[in-house]
Amino acid sequence: MNVKDLQGLVSRGKMSRRDFLAQASALGLTLSAAGTLADQALAATPKKGGRLRAGLAEGGTTDSLDPATYTDIYMISVGFGTHNSITEIGPDNQLTGDIAESWEATPDAKTWTFKLRKGIEFSNGKTLTPQDVIASLNHHRGEDSKSAAKANVDPIKDLRADGDDVVVMELHGSNADFPYLLADYHLLVMPEVDGKADWQNYVGTGAYVLQDFEPGVRTFLTRNPNYWKEGRGNFDEVELLVIADVAARQSALTSGEVDVMSRADRKTVHLLGRTPGIEIEEQTGFLHYTAPMITTRAPFDNNDLRLALKYAVDREQLMSTILRGHGTLANDHPIAPSVPFAATDIPQRQYDTDKAKFHLKKAGYDSIQLDLSAADAAFAGAVDAAVLMKEQMAPAGIDITVVREPNDGYWSNVWMKKPWSMCYWGGRPTCDWMFSTAYAEGANWNDTFWSNERFNKLLMEGRSELDASRRGEIYGEMQRIIHDDGGVIVWGFANYLSARSEKVTHGPDVASNWELDGGRYVERWWMA
Amino acid sequence: MAQILKMVGQRLLLGLLTLFVVSLIIFLGVELLPGDLAQAILGQAATPETVAAFRKELRLDLPAYERYFEWLGGMVQGDFGRSLANQREISELLGSRLENTLFLAGLAAVISVPLALTLGILAALYRNTLYDRTVNVVTLTSISFPEFFVAYILILFLAIQAGVFPSISNIGPDIGFWERVYRTMLPALTLTLVVVAHMMRMTRAAIINLLASPYIEMARLKGLSPSRIIVHHALPNALAPIINVVVLNIAYLIVGVVVVEVVFVYPGLGQLLVDSVSKRDLPVVQACSLVFAMTFILLNLLADVLSIVTNPRLLHPR
């Protein structure tokens, strides 16, 4: 038994602090070190009670309770506070079951069987059945679906119940990462009423029960006394406030009006962190900033030109100027270091105007003029980033005109329409998910219209491969292909920056698949 | 009196016409903006199929004039319709927001109007003294700063350093009247600082203007005290311009405070309007705009009626 195991026993209440000290000193630890470890473990034990008040950006009066319409942290907090999904990305970024206890696939990864936990009840007393799960997924499927998660459930060919606690999902094709898709924040499990998922009454199986929802202002939740997960759902009450202005959010946190805030200001977060009683939460997520080129149009159909542009970007300067250092350098592929099978062994592409000139020459140009479309709708600072890139590329003989586009309608009229634009991606927790969303041939959001035969073949291969080391090879090669041939400059992964008061605390790990513990802080955190 | 009633009737009818024109302009304006609700809500996640499904469900695929007349038809029968974005009744959405906006405007007016009038009258009384100059400099300074700056300064001193007032106005559904006043105090103070100068300067100017007239000279020759001259002889005749500027500022407190709402997270109509415009939620935009237009129409009418009532010459025209 090592110290970690002992700490686990203490935090689960299976061992007293005194016993811990005795055991730990037997393992050769000094008394004071052992004392600190015991306190850490105790601090990591969830405690019931209190009222969590969160000040969140990105809520609006136009918010709807319909999970198909969620786009950001505010409605994600409401959704995960009151509902569960089928699978869950845990605090350690590993996939675990939420209402699903276990799952298995046929060897071709085409048919998936999910076993549901027994005895889960909705907050209105109804027992969870496979029909609820099926109706909840069907809410996002079908011809007339207007769900933002339609792409997640598109692989499903057929859903059926098998007995009282098993859902069988048949897919159109193999998909080894399919369970990850079901952890998405849109795919909440709702009760079935007359064959349809009932979101209107907003009853879930989650840790809290919705009491009051005033869109764009405030949401009030109270604890679900019958919640079935141990150590989760710790607050008595939860109040989620929309505070759109970042200065107002920070002053509300500093003056103790709220305990948790989302999206701290990168420019002033170091000052906020110095305030006594305030802790900054910073995680490198999957969110990344890109500049996609439409590879079917000249001159971007020439890979040497694309390489010239990739070499002519000073990622470090963009990182320190636009993100103020709150991020990780990206290497022209969209897989963040924390995603399984991330190819961290690809050498980081450096700013090198000589190489850029070389590739430009090879592409048949001495110098070239290009338009780069940008608007702050792409991400805050996108226009500044475009102007910086213009300056960085000038020495390589690449003359960029930054076209400032309107924020309104940017995603419909500029992105994927103009040959070269600025863009951001929320990122995905698996390689396959990210690639099938934005890099596979014919994918809805393949924003470079890129098609690489080898890449597409590997994608199919990876989906039906269940052997981890072989998958590592496949996904490593795919990342290399995007790095060398893809139509996208990926210059940085942004950190999620949020802050909490010391009155609120969490376990040792915090998930990084979305801001604030994957959006599940309401369920996971507790009062210190 | 009959004449006033006739005027009120005429103005109300004209007001209805104005509202119709306003609704038309707003509708056309929002239509001209790029993108629609489906694209705004789906954002980057939009695909042609999901956008089409969205439009079909919300009837956004109909031609613009058909949607306008459908909306107008409902409006004439007193039906505001439903929000396109979340299908809530607009009357329900608007009700509590309007109440909040009126509460904030009311509180700011209750503080700022007496304050401005008092300061203005005193400034007229002690004009060109140190007091007069100080008041002018201070109020003009506070009106010259942008609202959000005044707001942040108040938050810094009164909320963060002194901790007297909360930095955000978290108005839950079940708080008492005085608690509500307390939580609304910082936005109200900000607005007070923003509007006092205008009303104060107008009061001062209107009174000083009259002080040169012969009947004031007469009063002075009779040996009346300066304060009596100003309050009893000058002020009643200066009321018309003062009323106008006060009403104009109250209208501003109702329709123009979105920046203050954002800084203090105050759930008023301005925020609702901004959210709805950015998501192209047309029925809500229309409803908010009509409320704002109506505020202006009614307050201007009120100002005119009050000016007539307080001026005997206008009350009995020959």
Side-chain angles (χ1 to χ4, degrees):
Chain A
M1 186 172 266
N2 62 25
V3 179
K4 267 243 146 78
D5 297 333
L6 293 177
Q7 261 189 304
L9 286 178
V10 175
S11 61
R12 286 195 297 275
K14 300 244 160 70
M15 180 187 257
S16 72
R17 189 173 187 276
R18 176 184 289 262
D19 289 343
F20 176 83
L21 294 185
Q23 294 268 351
S25 24
L27 283 168
L29 270 137
T30 64
L31 200 59
S32 65
T36 319
L37 286 174
D39 290 339
Q40 273 175 7
L42 280 175
T45 313
K47 217 170 66 180
K48 298 275 174 200
R51 178 181 194 160
L52 173 76
R53 298 156 308 160
L56 306 170
E58 308 297 333
T61 25
T62 44
D63 286 342
S64 156
L65 286 174
D66 182 355
T69 64
Y70 296 174
T71 52
D72 219 320
I73 186 67
Y74 190 83
M75 288 313 296
I76 293 175
S77 307
V78 178
F80 274 148
T82 51
H83 290 72
N84 295 101
S85 46
I86 299 167
T87 56
E88 170 183 350
I89 296 187
D92 51 0
N93 287 325
Q94 299 298 315
L95 191 72
T96 59
D98 200 355
I99 62 155
E101 190 177 65
S102 61
W103 53 87
E104 55 189 30
T106 49
D108 60 354
K110 250 179 145 171
T111 306
W112 288 83
T113 311
F114 288 84
K115 192 164 183 303
L116 308 183
R117 277 176 224 273
K118 282 208 170 66
I120 297 182
E121 282 185 3
F122 286 95
S123 57
N124 63 1
K126 179 184 183 308
T127 306
L128 177 84
T129 65
Q131 276 70 33
D132 298 318
V133 177
I134 292 171
S136 302
L137 289 177
N138 282 339
H139 183 64
H140 304 271
R141 294 174 71 208
E143 281 289 294
D144 53 351
S145 157
K146 54 190 177 96
S147 170
K150 188 167 186 279
N152 293 39
V153 290
D154 267 347
I156 302 176
K157 191 163 102 191
D158 187 39
L159 289 168
R160 63 170 192 273
D162 183 5
D164 288 341
D165 52 1
V166 171
V167 181
V168 180
M169 308 191 189
E170 272 189 49
L171 311 184
H172 290 292
S174 305
N175 196 337
D177 281 335
F178 178 68
Y180 275 96
L181 301 183
L182 300 179
D184 187 81
Y185 60 82
H186 298 97
L187 303 180
L188 304 176
V189 178
M190 302 172 269
E192 175 243 58
V193 176
D194 304 328
K196 290 201 157 176
D198 170 34
W199 59 267
Q200 288 87 347
N201 291 313
Y202 219 64
V203 171
T205 55
Y208 301 87
V209 184
L210 182 77
Q211 300 296 342
D212 186 33
F213 175 65
E214 206 184 326
V217 183
R218 168 181 190 272
T219 304
F220 189 61
L221 314 173
T222 53
R223 182 162 60 209
N224 174 4
N226 301 324
Y227 193 47
W228 44 278
K229 255 191 226 178
E230 203 185 330
R232 299 280 185 91
N234 300 308
F235 304 105
D236 289 336
E237 296 170 333
V238 176
E239 191 176 17
L240 305 169
L241 299 172
V242 178
I243 307 183
D245 180 38
V246 65
R249 268 199 312 283
Q250 295 194 169
S251 59
L253 182 70
T254 326
S255 61
E257 296 284 317
V258 298
D259 310 307
V260 168
M261 65 168 277
S262 70
R263 229 147 289 185
D265 188 357
R266 285 191 197 110
K267 295 189 194 86
T268 56
V269 70
H270 59 289
L271 298 173
L272 185 67
R274 263 190 249 155
T275 318
I278 306 281
E279 292 286 331
I280 305 292
E281 293 285 339
E282 182 162 5
Q283 281 93 30
T284 304
F286 311 143
L287 188 139
H288 52 277
Y289 297 127
T290 66
M293 316 159 212
I294 296 187
T295 54
T296 49
R297 282 192 221 170
F300 299 110
D301 53 353
N302 185 329
N303 190 41
D304 274 304
L305 179 94
R306 303 202 292 262
L307 278 172
L309 295 182
K310 288 178 189 175
Y311 278 113
V313 174
D314 186 348
R315 294 173 180 73
E316 272 162 43
Q317 194 188 25
L318 284 167
M319 181 59 61
S320 62
T321 321
I322 305 296
L323 294 184
R324 309 247 165 189
H326 294 288
T328 314
L329 286 189
N331 202 8
D332 291 331
H333 68 73
I335 303 303
S338 55
V339 175
F341 309 122
T344 41
D345 55 332
I346 307 178
Q348 173 66 44
R349 186 162 277 146
Q350 303 288 344
Y351 179 50
D352 190 335
T353 47
D354 289 338
K355 276 194 184 157
K357 273 188 200 150
F358 167 76
H359 284 287
L360 194 64
K361 192 111 199 164
K362 220 173 142 196
Y365 302 96
D366 280 330
S367 66
I368 189 169
Q369 281 198 327
L370 295 168
D371 285 349
L372 173 57
S373 299
D376 277 343
F379 56 89
V383 177
D384 295 343
V387 173
L388 261 180
M389 280 162 63
K390 171 191 163 74
E391 296 301 325
Q392 294 165 356
M393 292 195 178
I398 302 164
D399 178 17
I400 299 182
T401 311
V402 176
V403 184
R404 196 174 180 147
E405 304 280 355
N407 282 333
D408 288 312
Y410 184 82
W411 299 115
S412 329
N413 306 329
V414 179
W415 180 61
M416 293 183 72
K417 299 273 189 313
K418 296 286 164 77
W420 190 19
S421 57
M422 300 297 269
C423 174
Y424 90 100
W425 277 95
R428 301 290 186 270
T430 68
C431 290
D432 177 67
W433 191 349
M434 190 67 231
F435 294 155
S436 1
T437 311
Y439 295 86
E441 184 179 7
N444 271 331
W445 295 301
N446 181 345
D447 55 5
T448 54
F449 298 88
W450 180 63
S451 107
N452 180 303
E453 210 178 316
R454 174 80 185 145
F455 181 88
N456 291 320
K457 188 167 158 276
L458 285 172
L459 186 67
M460 291 302 142
E461 223 170 280
R463 282 188 192 158
S464 53
E465 182 62 63
L466 292 169
D467 174 56
S469 71
R470 176 74 192 117
R471 297 186 74 203
E473 287 166 26
I474 292 175
Y475 289 127
E477 187 181 343
M478 292 174 85
Q479 287 165 63
R480 243 168 245 122
I481 296 176
I482 299 183
H483 173 83
D484 292 327
D485 185 67
V488 65
I489 297 171
V490 190
W491 59 266
F493 294 97
N495 287 357
Y496 290 120
L497 270 180
S498 35
R500 65 180 164 88
S501 140
E502 276 175 356
K503 287 183 232 151
V504 175
T505 189
H506 52 68
D509 292 323
V510 174
S512 62
N513 56 322
W514 199 271
E515 195 174 4
L516 290 167
D517 215 348
R520 286 186 177 259
Y521 62 106
V522 174
E523 184 201 9
R524 289 179 185 159
W525 294 7
W526 62 88
M527 285 317 224
Chain B
M1 206 61 206
Q3 257 169 333
I4 294 188
L5 288 180
K6 193 174 154 212
M7 185 200 78
V8 170
Q10 274 175 348
R11 291 281 291 271
L12 287 179
L13 283 179
L14 273 176
L16 278 182
L17 188 67
T18 315
L19 289 183
F20 172 71
V21 174
V22 165
S23 78
L24 205 59
I25 293 175
I26 298 287
F27 186 86
L28 290 176
V30 176
E31 281 295 309
L32 284 178
L33 290 173
D36 65 3
L37 180 103
Q39 292 175 341
I41 288 199
L42 290 169
Q44 196 193 10
T47 59
E49 300 93 70
T50 46
V51 168
F54 227 113
R55 286 191 182 141
K56 191 150 179 256
E57 185 182 312
L58 298 172
R59 305 163 66 83
L60 290 173
D61 49 350
L62 297 180
Y65 68 90
E66 261 183 58
R67 279 180 287 130
Y68 179 73
F69 283 114
E70 196 174 310
W71 171 82
L72 191 68
M75 199 64 214
V76 172
Q77 297 162 37
D79 176 15
F80 277 95
R82 283 168 182 274
S83 153
L84 292 178
N86 55 17
Q87 300 302 317
R88 286 163 67 110
E89 288 279 349
I90 291 179
S91 45
E92 173 199 328
L93 209 60
L94 216 59
S96 65
R97 296 297 189 112
L98 182 61
E99 188 195 320
N100 289 342
T101 290
L102 292 179
F103 184 83
L104 174 60
L107 185 62
V110 163
I111 302 172
S112 62
V113 173
L115 182 70
L117 293 189
T118 316
L119 289 177
I121 292 169
L122 289 176
L125 190 59
Y126 303 111
R127 66 182 178 284
N128 300 332
T129 61
L130 184 64
Y131 162 80
D132 183 24
R133 282 165 212 273
T134 315
V135 170
N136 272 313
V137 167
V138 170
T139 52
L140 284 177
T141 309
S142 70
I143 201 178
S144 308
F145 285 124
E147 286 164 40
F148 65 87
F149 181 74
V150 176
Y152 288 144
I153 294 288
L154 287 185
I155 289 180
L156 177 63
F157 287 113
L158 294 180
I160 296 180
Q161 293 195 345
V164 192
F165 293 111
S167 72
I168 54 172
S169 304
N170 180 7
I171 309 178
D174 35 43
I175 56 170
F177 176 79
W178 290 110
E179 181 65 21
R180 193 168 173 174
V181 170
Y182 169 69
R183 294 190 188 180
T184 316
M185 196 47 97
L186 276 189
L189 284 181
T190 309
L191 290 174
T192 301
L193 286 173
V194 171
V195 298
V196 152
H198 193 191
M199 294 190 279
M200 187 288 273
R201 304 260 308 163
M202 198 61 184
T203 310
R204 177 181 176 275
I207 292 175
I208 288 176
N209 217 8
L210 287 171
L211 289 184
S213 16
Y215 74 95
I216 298 286
E217 202 94 322
M218 184 63 207
R220 217 176 269 148
L221 288 174
K222 282 199 300 190
L224 295 183
S225 70
S227 56
R228 194 174 163 80
I229 291 174
I230 284 183
V231 176
H232 282 258
H233 297 269
L235 190 58
N237 285 302
L239 272 182
I242 295 176
I243 287 171
N244 268 303
V245 74
V246 166
V247 166
L248 194 67
N249 276 294
I250 291 179
Y252 170 78
L253 289 178
I254 295 175
V255 308
V257 299
V258 63
V259 174
V260 173
E261 281 179 14
V262 169
V263 173
F264 291 104
V265 201
Y266 190 86
L269 272 185
Q271 190 61 55
L272 180 66
L273 181 61
V274 170
D275 281 355
S276 309
V277 171
S278 69
K279 287 281 179 347
R280 312 280 184 272
D281 195 345
L282 201 64
V284 184
V285 177
Q286 288 279 30
C288 293
S289 316
L290 289 187
V291 167
F292 286 164
M294 211 137 60
T295 310
F296 264 108
I297 293 170
L298 291 180
L299 283 176
N300 273 319
L301 180 61
L302 179 75
D304 288 351
V305 170
L306 283 180
S307 309
I308 294 172
V309 171
T310 54
N311 190 331
R313 276 174 302 185
L314 293 176
L315 199 53
H316 306 285
R318 262 178 287 167

